Amino acid sequence: RLMQMPIVAQLADITRTARQLMNNLRPSLEIQAPVILSVPMVPSRQRWHWPSDGQTSLGQATFTLRTGAKMPAVGFGTWRLWAKAAYQP
């Protein structure tokens, strides 16, 4: 059923076009001299640490965001979560 969905056909067309583009560009790219680029590293101000105090249950583990908000460390998505069920005052 998945393969019959219109989006799958569109993705196949996009993939085919991208492959053709890369195949057409390959000769030009192969004659170019290699260029070495350096990507600057952004220093991390804070590293994420998993709660490992032995007291925090998996369901209660959170990460504190810069805003101070707590984000659950483990989430299971919102599949079939309808409007009123998604709202938490």
Side-chain angles (χ1 to χ4, degrees):
R1 228 176 125 189
L2 175 66
M3 299 309 289
Q4 296 171 349
M5 298 179 89
I7 189 69
V8 173
Q10 289 177 341
L11 291 174
D13 289 341
I14 291 168
T15 303
R16 188 173 19 265
T17 302
R19 183 175 291 135
Q20 288 173 346
L21 176 64
M22 290 308 296
N23 286 338
N24 290 339
L25 286 173
R26 184 181 308 268
S28 296
L29 294 173
E30 287 176 343
I31 62 173
Q32 299 294 319
V35 175
I36 297 174
L37 299 174
S38 65
V39 178
M41 297 296 292
V42 176
S44 175
R45 287 187 248 169
Q46 177 182 359
R47 297 184 61 84
W48 297 108
H49 295 283
W50 186 260
S52 59
D53 58 9
Q55 304 297 315
T56 304
S57 70
L58 189 59
Q60 299 298 316
T62 61
F63 295 115
T64 304
L65 304 178
R66 288 185 198 160
T67 62
K70 301 269 186 194
M71 178 180 74
V74 177
F76 297 101
T78 58
W79 183 75
R80 294 210 182 200
L81 184 60
W82 304 106
K84 287 187 179 181
Y87 176 74
Q88 291 180 349

